[in-house]
Amino acid sequence: MQTSTLLKALITGIIAAGTSGAALATSNPPEGKVAINYNRCDNNYEGWGAHLWKDPGIPLTGIEWQKPMAPSGKTDFGVFWHADLKDFGSKGKVNYIIHKGDTKDQGGRDMSFDGTATKEIWVNNGDRKIYTSLDDAKKARAETPCK
């Protein structure tokens, strides 16, 4: 009976550790992929997508302005998109706009980052900056909290 109780406690601990905030705050892009993590103050991600393109302005296969890439998944930070780095060409420049219809985030600007140097970025709704760490994105959100 003691073994059964110990086993239950161990399983409960593993499950709790696997669902802690730290474990779910990154999308952990697989090898060869880049990730864009996106946080909205209202937590409403319906209709929001990523328009992704390679230079010179050629959308990735299957992506059109009216049909952006749907989120690949969700973490406790928000939603995320994974894309193959190779699809952005030999320079690895990842171009993107996060939008819902014609409503664009990050000040409506075309955004980009070097996918060969940075595999994962974080974006806060209403903030024009690209963050290369979850901690920096969280600090920025703390400095400019959701209203």
Side-chain angles (χ1 to χ4, degrees), residues 95-111:
N95 300 290
Y96 74 92
I97 299 174
I98 297 171
H99 71 99
K100 179 178 181 178
D102 288 331
T103 301
K104 305 173 191 175
D105 211 327
Q106 291 188 284
R109 302 182 316 186
D110 292 357
M111 303 299 292

Side-chain angles (χ1 to χ4, degrees), residues 1 9 11 14 25 27 47 60 78-79 89 93 100 104 137:
M1 190 135 164
I11 290 170
I14 290 170
S27 67
L60 298 189
V79 296
K93 182 180 178 188
K100 179 178 181 178
K104 305 173 191 175

Side-chain angles (χ1 to χ4, degrees), residues 51-65 87-88:
H51 187 70
L52 303 167
W53 70 95
K54 59 185 171 183
D55 287 333
I58 301 167
L60 298 189
T61 302
I63 296 177
E64 300 172 19
W65 184 256
D87 291 348
F88 293 95

